[in-house]
Amino acid sequence: AARAWQQAGAAALPIEPLSAFAALPPQAPVLVIDGLFGIGLTRALPPAAEAAVELPARHDWPVIAVDVPSGLLPDTGRAAGDGAVVRAAVTVTMIGDKPGLHTGAGRDAAGQVRVATLGLALPQPDGELLGAGALDASALQRPQDSHKGRFGDLLVIGGAPGMTGAALLAALGAQAAGAGRIYVAALDPLPADPAHPELMTRKLPTGRAELGDATAIVIGCGLGRSTRAAESVAAAIAHGAALVADADALNAIAADPTLAESLRARADRDAATVLTPHPLEAARLLQATTAAVQSDRIAAALALARRYRGLVVLKGSGSVIAAPDGRWAINGSGGPALATAGSGDVLAGAIGGLLAARVPPWQATRLAVWAHGAAGDAIAERDGVLGVAAGALPAAIRDALNRLPARPAATA
């Protein structure tokens, strides 16, 4: 820093106080390069630095951040000391990428992220940024000699009175992901849907025997919190099928230690389990606060995966996928277009559809989460982010999955 200061003086580079920039007219051509603080920051920005952060935001000047936007914690995407954070258009991060640039508040702060390796080779990271180039879609390829039985039976359990749409959205998400046959068992019995006659209905199961030979089960979408709902959750957990627990199923598990213990025991039977909480549901499952979950989303997702011995998708900006063995990924697709009612139901169904088609659980979860985000991005690019209906997502998910190459790129 001292050498840089000396070089600037030797080059007669004008160095002005902040007040000189504050006096510039609004149309002044200004580019701000933010190098105030780096990855070692642990406290809130001091007042003088906060003033420097607020100036470009007030004038709408573009900012390029060096390594991390000042004030952002690079591992978590949280503001240091809950203080101010630079909001950059582009962040050029050094040597290796930083998880905090891709999840939580970090996505808005970092803008577009570029990695400058500085010619250094890094060891294998302990997590990954999930993009199309890193996904192996070979499990989605189908031989000519195929039939629906090869791609499994999915049972969606949910749809309490007034919320049957949630179960239908999950079923459509599963259809987009290629499930062979799809059944919907709703608390509020569903009539035949003339728009989707391929969806079949079943009686609401309250015991394991009533679940039949489902390959995968999605439970919780619009399920409600009745006694019948809790009985259905218990039955689904006891079944040997791959299980996706969402929404009210997660609330039931968080409230009932017996259900939680039964869920953990599924791992002993090699029964795949995927939990898909948003931050508030994650907080209930961890007996923590939403703020604690959001303060370190990766750690929270890993804690959930270890506690419940299954895969976890912690939804939100930069959804985090975690496994009990310590693997984790941050999803690089998706944005505010997905912040709409029913979006999570479609995601749960898409994961269940891939599990029903016997795609391995870690692979199925990564594929579905990325495709769900890519679907939102495609719709936003075409129509904008406002007013996106969850019912538009399944077709876009199908398109995203069908466009994936069978093998990941060699450079991924």
Side-chain angles (χ1 to χ4, degrees):
R3 274 199 307 274
W5 178 267
Q6 292 163 0
Q7 290 166 355
L13 182 73
I15 297 174
E16 305 287 350
L18 200 60
S19 57
F21 292 92
L24 288 174
Q27 66 273 20
V30 174
L31 171 66
V32 178
I33 298 176
D34 163 38
L36 285 171
F37 293 91
I39 63 174
L41 185 72
T42 57
R43 56 187 170 83
L45 296 181
E50 279 201 17
V53 167
E54 292 167 0
L55 184 62
R58 188 163 65 246
H59 288 268
D60 202 25
W61 291 335
V63 178
I64 297 176
V66 178
D67 210 12
V68 294
S70 291
L72 186 75
L73 297 177
D75 291 334
T76 64
R78 182 171 63 90
D82 295 324
V85 177
V86 166
R87 187 159 180 159
V90 176
T91 296
V92 181
T93 194
M94 304 300 172
I95 303 175
D97 208 345
K98 317 296 187 296
L101 302 177
H102 301 282
T103 193
R107 294 186 83 196
D108 283 323
Q112 298 180 29
V113 177
R114 301 286 182 268
V115 179
T117 65
L118 307 185
L120 298 175
L122 290 176
Q124 183 68 26
D126 46 353
E128 66 171 324
L129 179 62
L130 199 57
L135 291 165
D136 183 357
S138 56
L140 304 180
Q141 307 307 304
R142 297 190 169 184
Q144 295 295 326
D145 184 19
S146 290
H147 57 84
K148 61 181 179 289
R150 292 186 64 163
F151 308 112
D153 290 356
L154 178 77
L155 176 61
V156 175
I157 306 172
M163 296 186 287
T164 54
L168 285 172
L169 285 168
L172 293 174
Q175 183 184 58
R181 289 178 292 237
I182 302 166
Y183 300 87
V184 181
L187 276 78
D188 190 7
L190 288 170
D193 183 357
H196 301 285
E198 66 278 12
L199 301 180
M200 296 172 279
T201 60
R202 273 189 179 173
K203 175 187 174 184
L204 183 74
T206 55
R208 184 190 180 287
E210 298 172 12
L211 291 167
D213 296 325
T215 316
I217 298 168
V218 174
I219 187 165
C221 303
L223 185 65
R225 303 194 186 188
S226 65
T227 300
R228 293 177 69 210
E231 290 171 349
S232 294
V233 173
I237 290 174
H239 198 279
L243 178 69
V244 180
D246 185 47
D248 284 326
L250 298 174
N251 292 325
I253 292 162
D256 187 337
T258 301
L259 287 180
E261 187 55 42
S262 297
L263 186 73
R264 284 188 282 269
R266 286 175 55 84
D268 297 327
R269 310 196 309 267
D270 293 325
T273 303
V274 183
L275 309 182
T276 57
H278 57 53
L280 177 56
E281 290 160 349
R284 290 170 182 151
L285 289 164
L286 287 171
Q287 298 177 317
T289 64
T290 304
V293 169
Q294 292 293 80
S295 71
D296 193 337
R297 288 170 50 78
I298 296 168
L302 286 167
L304 281 168
R306 288 190 292 266
R307 176 176 291 194
Y308 293 99
R309 302 178 70 191
L311 300 181
V312 169
V313 179
L314 177 56
K315 296 181 289 193
S317 182
S319 292
V320 179
I321 307 167
D325 61 8
R327 288 176 292 171
W328 59 268
I330 297 175
N331 184 37
S333 66
L338 296 172
T340 186
S343 172
D345 303 316
V346 176
L347 172 60
I351 297 171
L354 291 171
L355 291 172
R358 300 176 178 87
V359 178
W362 178 249
Q363 190 177 358
T365 304
R366 292 162 74 253
L367 283 166
V369 170
W370 174 84
H372 180 258
D377 292 340
I379 293 171
E381 184 176 356
R382 185 187 68 218
D383 301 329
V385 299
L386 297 181
V388 175
L393 291 171
I397 288 173
R398 179 198 62 209
D399 293 345
L401 291 173
N402 279 322
R403 286 196 301 268
L404 282 172
R407 295 288 177 187
T411 56

